[in-house]
């Protein structure tokens, strides 16, 4: 039979308790706060995208001349169409087609947002 040593057991329990509190304060609570913030950001982004799609607001695509003197803007409906339009604009501009002749979507006022 090993005699019970209450002093060492109490110290070990106290150290374990302090370690558990420290783990909660410095790891678990900050991690939960971060995950909560991340959930809010993802929810807001999802709501924004859903509203844009449901209200049929066009995605804005802009192109500027090389010297920056003129800006052109078009509106395109749908995320796939906007990605395809960006690729089409890059291809056509790379081929030397003047930017004023491109008509990839609904013309928009370059100054408005």
């Amino acid at each position: 039979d090993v005699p019970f040593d209450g002093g060492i057991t109490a110290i070990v329990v106290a150290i374990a308790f302090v370690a558990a509190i420290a783990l909660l304060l410095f790891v678990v609570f900050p991690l939960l706060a971060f995950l909560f913030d991340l959930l809010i950001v993802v929810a807001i982004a999802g709501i924004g995208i859903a509203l844009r799609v449901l209200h049929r607001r066009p995605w804005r695509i802009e192109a500027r001349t090389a010297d920056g003197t003129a800006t052109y803007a078009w509106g395109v409906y749908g995320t796939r169409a906007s990605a395809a339009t960006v690729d089409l604009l890059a291809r056509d501009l790379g081929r030397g087609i003047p930017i004023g002749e491109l008509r990839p979507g609904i013309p928009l006022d370059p100054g408005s947002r």
Side-chain angles (χ1 to χ4, degrees):
D1 245 344
V2 177
F4 175 72
D5 186 6
I8 292 189
T9 304
I11 292 173
V12 169
V13 168
I15 290 173
F17 181 75
V18 169
I21 295 297
L23 185 68
L24 279 173
L25 289 176
F26 297 113
V27 177
V28 175
F29 291 152
L31 184 62
L32 288 175
F34 170 75
L35 291 175
F36 181 72
D37 288 347
L38 184 64
L39 177 69
I40 289 175
V41 168
V42 168
I44 289 172
I47 289 169
I49 290 171
L51 288 175
R52 180 180 283 269
V53 170
L54 290 175
H55 289 290
R56 300 270 310 153
R57 185 171 175 207
W59 295 94
R60 182 180 185 83
I61 299 171
E62 290 185 351
R64 289 185 193 89
T65 55
D67 59 3
T69 57
T71 300
Y72 297 87
W74 301 275
V76 181
Y77 292 103
T79 54
R80 287 189 202 130
S82 66
T85 302
V86 168
D87 293 339
L88 173 75
L89 283 171
R91 185 194 70 206
D92 289 348
L93 290 172
R95 290 181 178 170
I97 298 174
I99 195 169
E101 295 179 12
L102 300 173
R103 301 283 182 257
I106 303 164
L108 299 175
D109 178 19
S112 68
R113 291 263 168 207

